[in-house]
Amino acid sequence: MSFRPCLPTQEPRLRLRYLVETVAALVVLVTVAMVGPVKAEVPLEAALATVFTVHSADAEDRFLGSAFLWGAGGEVAVTNAHVVGDAVEVRLTDAQGNAEIGQVIARDPVRDVAVISVNAGRRGLIATTATPRLGAEVWAMGAPLGIAFTVTEGRVSALARQVEAAVPIRMIQHDAALNPGSSGGPLVDNAGALMGMNSQIADGSRMFVGISYAISAQDLTGIVQGLIEETLLPLPELGLTARPVDR
């Protein structure tokens, strides 16, 4: 049997090395625990800060749906035309409880987009120029069933889906849960960039059944700019009722 001597000069060095390695490991664990969630949550929290609930600007105070702040200047909010209907004014409330009266300055009922003038000075959502990809993770924000500032997770399940036969807009199909009240809310990616505006659920369904539709950010950019600049041409009425047919 042999013994390995532990010299007095070696023991403090081993202890010091062990202490340094232990502290380094703890620093890594703490860093991962603190930094990891921040990267995932901060962009979504920033995006949610641009979202509004929409109510009628009258004594009835009817809940209408959702909207969100648009662009770097934040001078307008965007929602669906079917959310504001014929209203001239609506009341917008953000996640901090701040409320303001917005003027509906433009709407396109066919493309289902409306633009609302708001107090400037805040940064809105920036539309992504990237083409969505199948399976990409997305987050739908809004007030489904009137439950304000809700975020639901989903995946892109189809691209360029034309939902209305008479409306040449190809939407993003996804499975983030939408319900009545979600209309007009943004669809964002993990970085908080705007991918589209949630507009519809599966045809004939009152509640979410796993299929949701959003106007893509690319189409939405052209529509919003055209409405603001008054250059958007109306979709022609053919005098026909169009519907898809099978074999």
Side-chain angles (χ1 to χ4, degrees):
M1 180 177 297
S2 61
F3 296 91
R4 181 178 179 182
C6 182
L7 301 178
T9 56
Q10 290 179 330
E11 185 174 348
R13 292 178 182 177
L14 292 174
R15 290 178 178 175
L16 179 60
R17 180 180 176 182
Y18 175 77
L19 179 61
V20 171
E21 291 177 349
T22 302
V23 171
L26 289 173
V27 170
V28 171
L29 290 174
V30 171
T31 302
V32 170
M34 296 180 62
V35 175
V38 170
K39 290 182 178 179
E41 294 174 4
V42 167
L44 297 183
E45 291 175 356
L48 191 62
T50 70
V51 176
F52 300 105
T53 57
V54 185
H55 288 78
S56 61
D58 54 23
E60 294 184 16
D61 192 32
R62 291 176 294 110
F63 170 68
L64 302 176
S66 306
F68 61 94
L69 204 58
W70 176 268
E75 298 176 348
V76 298
V78 175
T79 186
N80 286 125
H82 76 260
V83 169
V84 297
D86 296 328
V88 177
E89 296 180 335
V90 291
R91 182 169 61 84
L92 304 175
T93 306
D94 65 18
Q96 302 300 317
N98 303 311
E100 63 180 291
I101 301 298
Q103 305 289 325
V104 181
I105 60 174
R107 76 194 87 205
D108 185 333
V110 178
R111 296 180 176 90
D112 200 15
V113 177
V115 180
I116 306 168
S117 177
V118 297
N119 297 327
R122 296 161 292 178
R123 182 178 177 84
L125 290 178
I126 306 298
T128 180
T129 57
T131 302
R133 58 180 179 82
L134 285 174
E137 188 175 33
V138 291
W139 305 84
M141 300 180 172
L145 305 176
I147 304 173
F149 311 111
T150 296
V151 180
T152 56
E153 180 186 12
R155 299 275 178 177
V156 174
S157 50
L159 301 173
R161 183 79 79 191
Q162 186 169 352
V163 180
E164 301 289 343
V167 182
I169 293 180
R170 300 190 179 277
M171 296 191 174
I172 301 171
Q173 179 182 313
H174 62 88
D175 64 358
L178 300 186
N179 277 296
S182 296
S183 292
L187 184 73
V188 304
D189 61 15
N190 286 328
L194 180 68
M195 295 186 66
M197 178 172 67
N198 295 308
S199 301
Q200 299 182 40
I201 54 180
D203 185 37
S205 302
R206 173 64 180 166
M207 309 298 283
F208 176 67
V209 292
I211 299 176
S212 305
Y213 298 109
I215 301 174
S216 71
Q218 291 84 354
D219 284 341
L220 195 60
T221 297
I223 295 170
V224 171
Q225 290 179 349
L227 286 173
I228 293 174
E229 298 169 1
E230 299 183 349
T231 58
L232 183 68
L233 297 177
L235 291 174
E237 294 185 7
L238 302 178
L240 303 173
T241 299
R243 67 180 177 86
V245 295
D246 58 19
R247 183 184 294 270

